[in-house]
Amino acid sequence: MTDRSALDTLLGYGIHPSVQRIAIMDYLLTHRTHPTVDEVYVALNKEIPTLSKTTVYNTLRLFAEHGAALMLTIDEKKICFDGVVKPHAHFMCRRCGRLKDVELPEGAGTLQLDGADFMVEETHVYYKGLCRSCQEQPQA
Amino acid sequence: MTDRSALDTLLGYGIHPSVQRIAIMDYLLTHRTHPTVDEVYVALNKEIPTLSKTTVYNTLRLFAEHGAALMLTIDEKKICFDGVVKPHAHFMCRRCGRLKDVELPEGAGTLQLDGADFMVEETHVYYKGLCRSCQEQPQA
DNA sequence: GTGCTTGCAAATCGTTTGCAATAGC
DNA sequence: GCTATTGCAAACGATTTGCAAGCAC
């Protein structure tokens, strides 16, 4: 069922499926943790021992190019990926580093710019600050 | 006058001034090109031949931590810096790579999140797509 | 003199590249 | 058999770290 869904997703975006691609897409769809390349690699290496990190890099980039995944650059330290491509914003806590999905305020995902000087294909809204639990903890 | 302004800016953010810090802040304030560390380094090396790239790294990070500059992560390939800290959005052309400032739609810079689960300190709005001139050029 | 700032050199680490092996139609 | 995909190993390059020298009050 999740396999099915991952496969369908790939096909829906015109991406030729393979064992590795299906596994990676499935991971994205079932783990909404905004994983990094390394996290995907480490997790999938258990079930696909021959998996190469190069393949994870290539595949996630392929997904992003086809619009099947989002490449998040909210954290300058690392690039994260999101299998949920429906417009939404992201919040990152500057202390614990956790990423959370945030609903976009009405219409913010489709903001149009003045005078059609640009053709916007992607919009990213990033919030940074302190999450609830880090606010409550004593300052480090 | 520009020196004055850079110095004042540093003081205003509680940053202890130095020749290097003033020069880097002045560069940010007079070149609104969203430069990378390397661009700042190369440009200032002419007037301050002993300048180290490490110092540029340290200084720009210091500025960002004090809110005296913005660290832009719109381009996953490189980090850019912006001396204009007044809330505004950024657009990057996926073909020519140029960054442009964009006015934020009303109130978008101060969006408040549901239920105060987060304490937002910074908001980044990034648009990606094609700029006017790249739209008009024939596909590569 | 003490503490902060600078800058060199080396280390680190995420990412890309080249290319040979493999899988799928 | 041909083409696309995978994966290893090496290369690359941006950023960080350690530490010694320099500067300022």
PDB file of all heavy atoms in Angstrom, chain A residues 12 21 23 25 27 33 47 50 62 65 68 70 73 83-84 89 101 103 115 118 121 126 130 135 138-140:
ATOM      1  N   GLY A  12       3.237   9.404 -11.491  1.00  0.00           N
ATOM      2  CA  GLY A  12       2.512  10.657 -11.647  1.00  0.00           C
ATOM      3  C   GLY A  12       3.406  11.828 -12.028  1.00  0.00           C
ATOM      4  O   GLY A  12       2.973  12.782 -12.680  1.00  0.00           O
ATOM      5  N   ARG A  21      14.431   3.989  -6.337  1.00  0.00           N
ATOM      6  CA  ARG A  21      13.582   5.177  -6.378  1.00  0.00           C
ATOM      7  C   ARG A  21      12.280   4.972  -5.605  1.00  0.00           C
ATOM      8  O   ARG A  21      11.812   5.876  -4.914  1.00  0.00           O
ATOM      9  CB  ARG A  21      13.291   5.546  -7.838  1.00  0.00           C
ATOM     10  CG  ARG A  21      14.522   6.090  -8.547  1.00  0.00           C
ATOM     11  CD  ARG A  21      14.296   6.347 -10.020  1.00  0.00           C
ATOM     12  NE  ARG A  21      15.509   6.832 -10.647  1.00  0.00           N
ATOM     13  CZ  ARG A  21      15.630   7.097 -11.939  1.00  0.00           C
ATOM     14  NH1 ARG A  21      14.602   6.916 -12.758  1.00  0.00           N
ATOM     15  NH2 ARG A  21      16.780   7.541 -12.430  1.00  0.00           N
ATOM     16  N   ALA A  23      11.858   2.936  -3.102  1.00  0.00           N
ATOM     17  CA  ALA A  23      12.178   2.895  -1.674  1.00  0.00           C
ATOM     18  C   ALA A  23      12.392   4.297  -1.126  1.00  0.00           C
ATOM     19  O   ALA A  23      11.942   4.629  -0.028  1.00  0.00           O
ATOM     20  CB  ALA A  23      13.425   2.036  -1.441  1.00  0.00           C
ATOM     21  N   MET A  25      11.250   7.183  -2.384  1.00  0.00           N
ATOM     22  CA  MET A  25       9.983   7.916  -2.359  1.00  0.00           C
ATOM     23  C   MET A  25       9.106   7.416  -1.225  1.00  0.00           C
ATOM     24  O   MET A  25       8.478   8.205  -0.514  1.00  0.00           O
ATOM     25  CB  MET A  25       9.269   7.770  -3.700  1.00  0.00           C
ATOM     26  CG  MET A  25       7.903   8.440  -3.747  1.00  0.00           C
ATOM     27  SD  MET A  25       7.930  10.205  -3.270  1.00  0.00           S
ATOM     28  CE  MET A  25       8.609  10.958  -4.743  1.00  0.00           C
ATOM     29  N   TYR A  27      10.088   6.191   1.521  1.00  0.00           N
ATOM     30  CA  TYR A  27      10.625   6.726   2.783  1.00  0.00           C
ATOM     31  C   TYR A  27      10.154   8.161   3.000  1.00  0.00           C
ATOM     32  O   TYR A  27       9.743   8.536   4.097  1.00  0.00           O
ATOM     33  CB  TYR A  27      12.162   6.666   2.768  1.00  0.00           C
ATOM     34  CG  TYR A  27      12.747   7.053   4.100  1.00  0.00           C
ATOM     35  CD1 TYR A  27      12.923   6.110   5.104  1.00  0.00           C
ATOM     36  CD2 TYR A  27      13.082   8.377   4.369  1.00  0.00           C
ATOM     37  CE1 TYR A  27      13.428   6.468   6.345  1.00  0.00           C
ATOM     38  CE2 TYR A  27      13.583   8.748   5.610  1.00  0.00           C
ATOM     39  CZ  TYR A  27      13.757   7.786   6.593  1.00  0.00           C
ATOM     40  OH  TYR A  27      14.235   8.148   7.814  1.00  0.00           O
ATOM     41  N   THR A  33       9.714  13.601   8.224  1.00  0.00           N
ATOM     42  CA  THR A  33      10.665  14.185   9.168  1.00  0.00           C
ATOM     43  C   THR A  33      11.648  15.134   8.493  1.00  0.00           C
ATOM     44  O   THR A  33      12.610  15.555   9.102  1.00  0.00           O
ATOM     45  CB  THR A  33      11.465  13.065   9.851  1.00  0.00           C
ATOM     46  OG1 THR A  33      12.012  12.220   8.812  1.00  0.00           O
ATOM     47  CG2 THR A  33      10.577  12.232  10.738  1.00  0.00           C
ATOM     48  N   GLU A  47      17.608  -2.066   4.535  1.00  0.00           N
ATOM     49  CA  GLU A  47      16.839  -2.962   3.668  1.00  0.00           C
ATOM     50  C   GLU A  47      17.473  -3.160   2.293  1.00  0.00           C
ATOM     51  O   GLU A  47      17.235  -4.157   1.639  1.00  0.00           O
ATOM     52  CB  GLU A  47      15.395  -2.464   3.524  1.00  0.00           C
ATOM     53  CG  GLU A  47      15.262  -0.960   3.442  1.00  0.00           C
ATOM     54  CD  GLU A  47      13.798  -0.530   3.415  1.00  0.00           C
ATOM     55  OE1 GLU A  47      13.191  -0.727   2.352  1.00  0.00           O
ATOM     56  OE2 GLU A  47      13.274  -0.006   4.422  1.00  0.00           O
ATOM     57  N   THR A  50      23.061  -2.684  -0.673  1.00  0.00           N
ATOM     58  CA  THR A  50      23.944  -2.249  -1.753  1.00  0.00           C
ATOM     59  C   THR A  50      23.705  -0.788  -2.140  1.00  0.00           C
ATOM     60  O   THR A  50      24.395  -0.266  -3.015  1.00  0.00           O
ATOM     61  CB  THR A  50      23.723  -3.112  -3.015  1.00  0.00           C
ATOM     62  OG1 THR A  50      22.373  -2.910  -3.466  1.00  0.00           O
ATOM     63  CG2 THR A  50      23.955  -4.579  -2.717  1.00  0.00           C
ATOM     64  N   LEU A  62      16.674  14.314  -8.512  1.00  0.00           N
ATOM     65  CA  LEU A  62      15.728  14.002  -9.583  1.00  0.00           C
ATOM     66  C   LEU A  62      14.302  14.304  -9.135  1.00  0.00           C
ATOM     67  O   LEU A  62      13.527  14.950  -9.857  1.00  0.00           O
ATOM     68  CB  LEU A  62      15.859  12.523  -9.952  1.00  0.00           C
ATOM     69  CG  LEU A  62      15.015  12.022 -11.120  1.00  0.00           C
ATOM     70  CD1 LEU A  62      15.658  12.430 -12.434  1.00  0.00           C
ATOM     71  CD2 LEU A  62      14.862  10.510 -11.062  1.00  0.00           C
ATOM     72  N   GLU A  65      13.714  18.011  -9.071  1.00  0.00           N
ATOM     73  CA  GLU A  65      13.599  18.588 -10.410  1.00  0.00           C
ATOM     74  C   GLU A  65      12.244  18.290 -11.047  1.00  0.00           C
ATOM     75  O   GLU A  65      11.730  19.078 -11.833  1.00  0.00           O
ATOM     76  CB  GLU A  65      14.721  18.053 -11.315  1.00  0.00           C
ATOM     77  CG  GLU A  65      16.074  18.668 -11.014  1.00  0.00           C
ATOM     78  CD  GLU A  65      17.199  17.906 -11.697  1.00  0.00           C
ATOM     79  OE1 GLU A  65      16.930  16.863 -12.325  1.00  0.00           O
ATOM     80  OE2 GLU A  65      18.355  18.364 -11.580  1.00  0.00           O
ATOM     81  N   ALA A  68       8.516  16.259  -7.500  1.00  0.00           N
ATOM     82  CA  ALA A  68       7.973  15.181  -6.679  1.00  0.00           C
ATOM     83  C   ALA A  68       8.418  15.299  -5.229  1.00  0.00           C
ATOM     84  O   ALA A  68       7.937  14.566  -4.365  1.00  0.00           O
ATOM     85  CB  ALA A  68       8.402  13.823  -7.251  1.00  0.00           C
ATOM     86  N   LEU A  70      10.321  18.382  -2.300  1.00  0.00           N
ATOM     87  CA  LEU A  70      10.837  19.732  -2.102  1.00  0.00           C
ATOM     88  C   LEU A  70      12.230  19.663  -1.496  1.00  0.00           C
ATOM     89  O   LEU A  70      12.501  18.842  -0.619  1.00  0.00           O
ATOM     90  CB  LEU A  70       9.940  20.516  -1.156  1.00  0.00           C
ATOM     91  CG  LEU A  70       8.535  20.841  -1.631  1.00  0.00           C
ATOM     92  CD1 LEU A  70       7.781  21.566  -0.533  1.00  0.00           C
ATOM     93  CD2 LEU A  70       8.590  21.687  -2.891  1.00  0.00           C
ATOM     94  N   THR A  73      15.980  24.528   2.106  1.00  0.00           N
ATOM     95  CA  THR A  73      17.272  25.132   2.436  1.00  0.00           C
ATOM     96  C   THR A  73      17.152  26.021   3.662  1.00  0.00           C
ATOM     97  O   THR A  73      17.885  26.981   3.803  1.00  0.00           O
ATOM     98  CB  THR A  73      17.808  25.945   1.243  1.00  0.00           C
ATOM     99  OG1 THR A  73      16.848  26.950   0.911  1.00  0.00           O
ATOM    100  CG2 THR A  73      18.055  25.078   0.042  1.00  0.00           C
ATOM    101  N   GLY A  83       8.630  15.166   1.167  1.00  0.00           N
ATOM    102  CA  GLY A  83       7.793  14.489   0.189  1.00  0.00           C
ATOM    103  C   GLY A  83       6.415  15.100   0.057  1.00  0.00           C
ATOM    104  O   GLY A  83       5.653  14.757  -0.845  1.00  0.00           O
ATOM    105  N   VAL A  84       6.108  16.012   0.952  1.00  0.00           N
ATOM    106  CA  VAL A  84       4.816  16.696   0.888  1.00  0.00           C
ATOM    107  C   VAL A  84       4.995  17.964   0.066  1.00  0.00           C
ATOM    108  O   VAL A  84       5.644  18.910   0.510  1.00  0.00           O
ATOM    109  CB  VAL A  84       4.310  17.054   2.305  1.00  0.00           C
ATOM    110  CG1 VAL A  84       2.976  17.774   2.208  1.00  0.00           C
ATOM    111  CG2 VAL A  84       4.192  15.806   3.155  1.00  0.00           C
ATOM    112  N   ALA A  89       4.520  26.066   4.880  1.00  0.00           N
ATOM    113  CA  ALA A  89       5.731  26.731   5.339  1.00  0.00           C
ATOM    114  C   ALA A  89       6.481  25.822   6.310  1.00  0.00           C
ATOM    115  O   ALA A  89       5.980  24.762   6.687  1.00  0.00           O
ATOM    116  CB  ALA A  89       5.369  28.045   6.016  1.00  0.00           C
ATOM    117  N   ASP A 101       6.335  21.459  10.092  1.00  0.00           N
ATOM    118  CA  ASP A 101       5.473  22.001   9.047  1.00  0.00           C
ATOM    119  C   ASP A 101       4.548  23.037   9.658  1.00  0.00           C
ATOM    120  O   ASP A 101       4.083  22.892  10.780  1.00  0.00           O
ATOM    121  CB  ASP A 101       4.629  20.878   8.427  1.00  0.00           C
ATOM    122  CG  ASP A 101       5.466  19.974   7.556  1.00  0.00           C
ATOM    123  OD1 ASP A 101       6.370  20.482   6.876  1.00  0.00           O
ATOM    124  OD2 ASP A 101       5.214  18.763   7.562  1.00  0.00           O
ATOM    125  N   GLU A 103       1.210  25.635   8.546  1.00  0.00           N
ATOM    126  CA  GLU A 103       0.267  26.000   7.494  1.00  0.00           C
ATOM    127  C   GLU A 103       0.570  27.389   6.972  1.00  0.00           C
ATOM    128  O   GLU A 103       0.900  28.287   7.733  1.00  0.00           O
ATOM    129  CB  GLU A 103      -1.158  25.956   8.039  1.00  0.00           C
ATOM    130  CG  GLU A 103      -1.863  24.665   7.693  1.00  0.00           C
ATOM    131  CD  GLU A 103      -3.347  24.790   7.936  1.00  0.00           C
ATOM    132  OE1 GLU A 103      -3.964  25.672   7.317  1.00  0.00           O
ATOM    133  OE2 GLU A 103      -3.869  24.008   8.750  1.00  0.00           O
ATOM    134  N   GLY A 115       3.957  43.489 -11.456  1.00  0.00           N
ATOM    135  CA  GLY A 115       4.322  43.708 -12.854  1.00  0.00           C
ATOM    136  C   GLY A 115       4.829  42.506 -13.619  1.00  0.00           C
ATOM    137  O   GLY A 115       5.425  42.664 -14.676  1.00  0.00           O
ATOM    138  N   PHE A 118       8.715  38.549 -12.881  1.00  0.00           N
ATOM    139  CA  PHE A 118       9.236  37.225 -12.629  1.00  0.00           C
ATOM    140  C   PHE A 118       8.144  36.212 -12.873  1.00  0.00           C
ATOM    141  O   PHE A 118       6.965  36.514 -12.765  1.00  0.00           O
ATOM    142  CB  PHE A 118       9.687  37.078 -11.178  1.00  0.00           C
ATOM    143  CG  PHE A 118      10.489  38.226 -10.690  1.00  0.00           C
ATOM    144  CD1 PHE A 118       9.999  39.067  -9.718  1.00  0.00           C
ATOM    145  CD2 PHE A 118      11.750  38.465 -11.207  1.00  0.00           C
ATOM    146  CE1 PHE A 118      10.753  40.124  -9.261  1.00  0.00           C
ATOM    147  CE2 PHE A 118      12.505  39.522 -10.761  1.00  0.00           C
ATOM    148  CZ  PHE A 118      12.002  40.359  -9.782  1.00  0.00           C
ATOM    149  N   GLU A 121       7.915  29.931  -9.834  1.00  0.00           N
ATOM    150  CA  GLU A 121       7.576  28.521  -9.934  1.00  0.00           C
ATOM    151  C   GLU A 121       7.515  27.840  -8.567  1.00  0.00           C
ATOM    152  O   GLU A 121       6.868  26.808  -8.401  1.00  0.00           O
ATOM    153  CB  GLU A 121       8.606  27.806 -10.811  1.00  0.00           C
ATOM    154  CG  GLU A 121       8.619  28.334 -12.239  1.00  0.00           C
ATOM    155  CD  GLU A 121       9.841  27.888 -13.015  1.00  0.00           C
ATOM    156  OE1 GLU A 121      10.834  27.505 -12.388  1.00  0.00           O
ATOM    157  OE2 GLU A 121       9.793  27.934 -14.246  1.00  0.00           O
ATOM    158  N   TYR A 126      10.088  30.304   5.238  1.00  0.00           N
ATOM    159  CA  TYR A 126      10.818  29.720   6.364  1.00  0.00           C
ATOM    160  C   TYR A 126      10.715  30.615   7.588  1.00  0.00           C
ATOM    161  O   TYR A 126      10.967  31.817   7.501  1.00  0.00           O
ATOM    162  CB  TYR A 126      12.291  29.562   5.994  1.00  0.00           C
ATOM    163  CG  TYR A 126      12.566  28.626   4.844  1.00  0.00           C
ATOM    164  CD1 TYR A 126      13.573  28.907   3.919  1.00  0.00           C
ATOM    165  CD2 TYR A 126      11.837  27.455   4.683  1.00  0.00           C
ATOM    166  CE1 TYR A 126      13.842  28.043   2.864  1.00  0.00           C
ATOM    167  CE2 TYR A 126      12.096  26.591   3.631  1.00  0.00           C
ATOM    168  CZ  TYR A 126      13.107  26.890   2.728  1.00  0.00           C
ATOM    169  OH  TYR A 126      13.357  26.033   1.686  1.00  0.00           O
ATOM    170  N   LEU A 130      12.346  29.922  18.243  1.00  0.00           N
ATOM    171  CA  LEU A 130      12.417  28.928  19.306  1.00  0.00           C
ATOM    172  C   LEU A 130      11.098  28.172  19.387  1.00  0.00           C
ATOM    173  O   LEU A 130      10.031  28.777  19.383  1.00  0.00           O
ATOM    174  CB  LEU A 130      12.674  29.600  20.660  1.00  0.00           C
ATOM    175  CG  LEU A 130      14.098  30.044  20.960  1.00  0.00           C
ATOM    176  CD1 LEU A 130      14.164  30.664  22.351  1.00  0.00           C
ATOM    177  CD2 LEU A 130      15.054  28.868  20.876  1.00  0.00           C
ATOM    178  N   GLN A 135      11.663  27.009  24.454  1.00  0.00           N
ATOM    179  CA  GLN A 135      11.380  28.245  25.171  1.00  0.00           C
ATOM    180  C   GLN A 135      11.291  27.979  26.668  1.00  0.00           C
ATOM    181  O   GLN A 135      11.688  28.808  27.487  1.00  0.00           O
ATOM    182  CB  GLN A 135      10.032  28.827  24.728  1.00  0.00           C
ATOM    183  CG  GLN A 135      10.041  29.477  23.366  1.00  0.00           C
ATOM    184  CD  GLN A 135       8.629  29.869  22.952  1.00  0.00           C
ATOM    185  OE1 GLN A 135       7.921  30.539  23.674  1.00  0.00           O
ATOM    186  NE2 GLN A 135       8.223  29.432  21.768  1.00  0.00           N
ATOM    187  N   PRO A 138      15.566  26.077  30.450  1.00  0.00           N
ATOM    188  CA  PRO A 138      16.476  27.144  30.878  1.00  0.00           C
ATOM    189  C   PRO A 138      17.519  27.407  29.803  1.00  0.00           C
ATOM    190  O   PRO A 138      17.902  26.507  29.068  1.00  0.00           O
ATOM    191  CB  PRO A 138      17.130  26.559  32.141  1.00  0.00           C
ATOM    192  CG  PRO A 138      16.949  25.081  32.024  1.00  0.00           C
ATOM    193  CD  PRO A 138      15.655  24.884  31.296  1.00  0.00           C
ATOM    194  N   GLN A 139      17.919  28.620  29.721  1.00  0.00           N
ATOM    195  CA  GLN A 139      18.921  28.984  28.722  1.00  0.00           C
ATOM    196  C   GLN A 139      20.174  28.138  28.928  1.00  0.00           C
ATOM    197  O   GLN A 139      20.614  27.936  30.042  1.00  0.00           O
ATOM    198  CB  GLN A 139      19.277  30.463  28.849  1.00  0.00           C
ATOM    199  CG  GLN A 139      18.068  31.379  28.818  1.00  0.00           C
ATOM    200  CD  GLN A 139      17.372  31.390  27.469  1.00  0.00           C
ATOM    201  OE1 GLN A 139      18.033  31.301  26.449  1.00  0.00           O
ATOM    202  NE2 GLN A 139      16.057  31.480  27.462  1.00  0.00           N
ATOM    203  N   ALA A 140      20.723  27.709  27.818  1.00  0.00           N
ATOM    204  CA  ALA A 140      21.926  26.867  27.896  1.00  0.00           C
ATOM    205  C   ALA A 140      23.103  27.661  28.485  1.00  0.00           C
ATOM    206  O   ALA A 140      23.393  28.738  28.046  1.00  0.00           O
ATOM    207  CB  ALA A 140      22.294  26.361  26.515  1.00  0.00           C
TER     208      ALA A 140
END
